[in-house]
Amino acid sequence: MLRIKDISYSIEGRPLFAGASATIPEGHKVGLVGPNGAGKTTLFRLIRGELTLDGGEITLPSRAKVGGVAQEVPSSSTSLLDTVLAADEERASLLAESETATDAHRIADIQTRLVDIDAWSGEARASSILRGLGFDNEAQARPCSDFSGGWRMRVALAGVLFAQPDLLLLDEPTNYLDLEGALWLEQYLARYPHTVIVISHDRDLLNRAVGAILHLEERQLTLYQGGYDTFARTRALRREAQAAQAKKQDTRRAHLQSFVDRFRAKASKAKQAQARVKMLEKMVPITAPEEAAQQVFTFPEPEQLSPPIITMEGAAVGYGGPAILKRLDLRIDQDDRIALLGRNGEGKSTLSKFLADKLAAMEGKITRSSKLRIGYFAQHQVDELHLDETPLQHLRSQRPDEAQAKLRARLAGFGLRADQAETAVGKLSGGQKARLSLLLATLDAPHLLILDEPTNHLDIESREALVSALTEYSGAVILVSHDMHLLSLVADRLWLVKDGGVAPYSGDLDSYRAELLAPPAPAGKQKPAKQAQKATPAAAPTPSAPKPARDARQNLKKALRESEARVAKLAEMMEKLDAIMADPKLYATARAAEAERWSKKHAELRTAMTRAEALWLEALENYEAAGKS
């Protein structure tokens, strides 16, 4: 059990904790959330004993091991598998001693302890963890020096997971994972046998992997039961109640003060007035909760281009050797919102770079609209900012003739306030650097915005603000992200990058998640899909037959919602297109080709609407029929 009792701690005179307390029972999985800069990482350092408290105490059971990912593993000639095995220092030490020990009693103690800690399955467990984080058997045998810093961070994470400390402290562990790794980590943490506290802004992880939320706000700690969504609802209700109590107290205080002011000087009312003065003095002030600072992103609006903005015909792309992606026959329109799915190493980033014109076609062709502007954001760009320059200087180098007031307004539109505008980038938080990089990527009002892991270092409020901005943005969006919540709210098309090709994905994000988490079938035992479907009805019925019926109805309801959303989206697109085609200038002789392209797009959209409405009616009939059966 972790006990945090009345702790106080300040940095350079700024208090981060003031009489804060919390108790985390053994084996609990807890998400630590709070505003950026509130002190979440500092709390981890206090728990580990790296910092000294100003007051209060933090206690753990005696001999409890505390572990976390402090930094990436060093570049060395040691293989990934051996690096992870060495992370369990007790196991490594006992195995080494077992080879040299001569005392019979000590040998017996060593062997007993090795059995207790399941040492003999260590290699298999370490290999399984590395596979979950994206390293196949071949990669596990390679030296650490073969991998970049981001990949070595994954190795460090694998090491601490393998060591299984009694208290596992993880600070934004999904920032250097892809979608597959993030989903694997969710499941691993949910099954972890000891206590976990994780700092994360990944909403899905905080809903699926933890059972409680520890909230740090206004120098206090509050423990809420349930995942993040439950916490958000509970906290909102508490804030409403607190605001109502504060308003009620203000009314009562004003009424008492009015009586005192009116009758204090009158002898006949002096006692009553004095009694009310004492009542005012005894009142414990109830403060209405402060509204959190609004997080914003303001993307400039591009003009409309004739569709399509990008087409690919038999295109192939790579890095000089064999093509990574081949036979690409794809089209992108300005109203597209596309999420790129695919396991690590399949080529999602390669496709992003190809679309951004950072890689040339090796064969076939890619055609871009002549006026197309593309904005490209990738995580490495955050690391390429000039640390000794301010955000204002970064903008001025891109817009030397623009007035300073306008440059500051651009920064404010991305949540960078006046003081942050003139702070060296090296002193900004990860989230503030990401905001600056997003601003630079969208400075020219791109018609196509390509975002490769845009939410790393953004807190939950900032992620919600990004969703809102992307929803209102009138350009096309290509998304690569491990944040399933972001993908589900922004993307309306899914492309699967797999086996050297790219094709529309027929399922939804839930089915893709299930695919990623499904255990691989044993070699030689995969059944053809049709055989598997035929085998299902032959299964013996069970007493709990109503559950599949309920599940089926839920699936039908989900299909109905999805089809309704698709019809609504197409209707919105049709409305915009009708407005464009209603412009008489479009039909001038000089614009005949453009008018023809818009007309073709309109016809395609009508066909899509007819198909979507038919699917919606079919989904509605199926759902209503299920309700009657």
Side-chain angles (χ1 to χ4, degrees):
M1 181 178 290
L2 169 66
R3 292 184 183 275
I4 302 170
K5 185 176 180 182
D6 294 329
I7 64 168
S8 299
Y9 184 78
S10 299
I11 294 180
E12 297 179 352
R14 182 172 74 94
L16 292 179
F17 302 94
S21 299
T23 299
I24 310 297
E26 186 176 348
H28 274 46
K29 315 296 188 299
V30 177
L32 175 57
V33 303
N36 281 343
K40 300 186 292 295
T41 300
T42 300
L43 179 60
F44 274 12
R45 297 187 66 191
L46 289 167
I47 292 171
R48 288 195 294 259
E50 296 171 5
L51 299 173
T52 304
L53 287 165
D54 297 337
E57 61 179 1
I58 296 175
T59 57
L60 282 161
S62 60
R63 301 179 68 180
K65 292 190 297 182
V66 180
V69 184
Q71 58 188 5
E72 68 188 46
V73 299
S75 175
S76 71
S77 60
T78 307
S79 72
L80 302 190
L81 184 59
D82 286 340
T83 300
V84 172
L85 289 171
D88 188 341
E89 295 177 358
E90 181 186 11
R91 176 184 179 277
S93 175
L94 288 170
L95 287 174
E97 189 180 352
S98 70
E99 294 179 0
T100 58
T102 56
D103 180 76
H105 293 292
R106 179 55 185 158
I107 291 173
D109 289 343
I110 291 171
Q111 295 301 322
T112 300
R113 183 56 182 162
L114 286 171
V115 170
D116 288 343
I117 63 174
D118 198 16
W120 306 116
S121 69
E123 190 165 323
R125 287 190 290 111
S127 180
S128 175
I129 292 170
L130 282 167
R131 273 197 307 276
L133 295 175
F135 300 99
D136 59 21
N137 291 340
E138 182 184 348
Q140 293 175 28
R142 289 163 56 192
C144 291
S145 56
D146 280 5
F147 297 88
S148 65
W151 284 97
R152 294 203 302 272
M153 284 296 295
R154 296 193 189 199
V155 179
L157 175 60
V160 74
L161 295 179
F162 175 71
Q164 288 197 346
D166 302 294
L167 174 58
L168 176 61
L169 305 177
L170 296 178
D171 194 342
E172 293 290 0
T174 60
N175 271 4
Y176 36 87
L177 298 179
D178 54 15
L179 177 56
E180 184 181 4
L183 294 179
W184 177 87
L185 183 64
E186 279 181 19
Q187 289 212 325
Y188 188 90
L189 293 182
R191 298 192 305 266
Y192 189 76
H194 307 301
T195 308
V196 178
I197 305 179
V198 56
I199 299 171
S200 180
H201 297 125
D202 186 324
R203 196 163 183 149
D204 277 359
L205 183 143
L206 293 175
N207 277 322
R208 291 192 175 105
V210 305
I213 298 293
L214 183 61
H215 187 219
L216 171 55
E217 185 180 43
E218 296 178 356
R219 300 176 294 282
Q220 296 295 311
L221 292 165
T222 307
L223 188 66
Y224 294 79
Q225 294 304 314
Y228 185 85
D229 287 349
T230 301
F231 150 75
R233 288 192 296 270
T234 305
R235 178 170 175 259
L237 290 172
R238 285 190 181 184
R239 288 171 67 85
E240 287 176 11
Q242 186 180 349
Q245 286 179 323
K247 185 177 180 180
K248 187 175 180 180
Q249 188 184 67
D250 287 344
T251 302
R252 173 68 172 157
R253 187 184 294 277
H255 178 75
L256 292 173
Q257 189 63 53
S258 174
F259 186 95
V260 171
D261 294 342
R262 285 171 60 199
F263 298 115
R264 177 180 281 169
K266 291 189 177 182
S268 60
K269 298 287 187 178
K271 285 186 178 180
Q272 293 94 321
Q274 191 59 37
R276 284 162 175 76
V277 169
K278 290 181 180 179
M279 291 170 67
L280 283 168
E281 290 173 350
K282 289 179 180 179
M283 270 190 182
V284 178
I286 300 172
T287 306
E290 292 183 9
E291 289 298 321
Q294 187 177 12
Q295 306 296 336
V296 294
F297 291 95
T298 309
F299 294 147
E301 288 295 310
E303 71 278 14
Q304 286 289 321
L305 297 179
S306 301
I309 56 175
I310 292 181
T311 55
M312 285 168 266
E313 299 174 55
V317 63
Y319 297 91
I324 304 296
L325 300 172
K326 296 174 286 189
R327 298 183 296 279
L328 301 179
D329 294 292
L330 302 166
R331 164 181 171 150
I332 299 175
D333 295 332
Q334 194 168 332
D335 53 14
D336 278 332
R337 300 285 193 276
I338 301 169
L340 301 185
L341 307 178
R343 293 178 183 272
N344 179 66
E346 291 282 3
K348 298 188 297 295
S349 293
T350 300
L351 179 60
S352 298
K353 292 174 184 175
F354 186 41
L355 293 171
D357 204 12
K358 295 182 181 296
L359 292 173
M362 297 172 64
E363 59 184 64
K365 69 175 183 177
I366 179 169
T367 305
R368 298 178 178 85
S369 174
S370 59
K371 297 180 180 179
L372 179 64
R373 295 188 300 273
I374 299 173
Y376 178 71
F377 172 92
Q379 189 54 42
H380 67 83
Q381 291 175 308
V382 176
D383 301 325
E384 292 172 1
L385 295 170
H386 302 294
L387 300 183
D388 56 341
E389 292 184 8
T390 67
L392 198 56
Q393 288 172 321
H394 277 79
L395 269 192
R396 191 177 291 121
S397 68
Q398 300 293 315
R399 291 287 188 275
D401 299 326
E402 205 162 86
Q404 181 161 304
K406 188 167 183 180
L407 296 178
R408 287 182 178 277
R410 288 184 184 275
L411 290 165
F414 275 69
L416 294 167
R417 301 187 304 271
D419 55 332
Q420 295 161 352
E422 299 197 45
T423 300
V425 167
K427 295 183 179 179
L428 296 178
S429 70
Q432 290 161 349
K433 292 175 186 173
R435 286 173 173 276
L436 176 57
S437 290
L438 279 167
L439 169 56
L440 295 173
T442 58
L443 202 54
D444 292 326
H447 305 93
L448 169 62
L449 185 55
I450 301 170
L451 301 176
D452 193 342
E453 295 293 358
T455 59
N456 284 359
H457 304 297
L458 293 183
D459 59 24
I460 290 178
E461 291 75 19
S462 296
R463 293 181 185 208
E464 297 299 330
L466 181 60
V467 167
S468 297
L470 290 174
T471 302
E472 296 173 7
Y473 173 60
S474 62
V477 178
I478 305 291
L479 269 174
V480 178
S481 178
H482 66 261
D483 188 334
M484 292 281 275
H485 183 69
L486 173 74
L487 296 182
S488 67
L489 292 176
V490 174
D492 55 19
R493 296 180 65 192
L494 305 176
W495 283 1
L496 180 61
V497 184
K498 183 178 181 181
D499 297 333
V502 182
Y505 181 69
S506 58
D508 58 14
L509 285 171
D510 286 339
S511 60
Y512 182 66
R513 182 179 189 277
E515 277 184 36
L516 289 180
L517 294 175
K525 292 190 178 181
Q526 293 97 328
K527 284 186 178 181
K530 290 184 179 178
Q531 284 183 304
Q533 290 172 356
K534 288 178 181 177
T536 304
T542 65
S544 57
K547 186 179 187 303
R550 287 196 300 271
D551 289 347
R553 184 167 167 77
Q554 285 299 315
N555 289 336
L556 291 171
K557 186 176 182 180
K558 181 180 177 183
L560 178 60
R561 284 200 303 265
E562 289 174 351
S563 59
E564 286 175 343
R566 183 61 178 164
V567 169
K569 177 69 174 178
L570 288 170
E572 182 184 343
M573 291 162 61
M574 186 76 81
E575 186 178 341
K576 290 179 180 178
L577 199 50
D578 287 340
I580 292 170
M581 296 188 70
D583 184 359
K585 296 177 183 177
L586 180 63
Y587 303 97
T589 305
R591 299 179 65 183
E594 183 182 355
E596 185 178 349
R597 286 195 296 271
W598 282 115
S599 180
K600 184 179 179 183
K601 174 73 172 176
H602 196 272
E604 292 172 353
L605 200 55
R606 277 202 310 271
T607 302
M609 176 64 88
T610 301
R611 188 166 58 248
E613 287 177 339
L615 290 172
W616 173 69
L617 287 172
E618 182 182 348
L620 180 60
E621 289 172 1
N622 291 340
Y623 180 66
E624 290 178 345
K628 295 173 183 176
S629 59

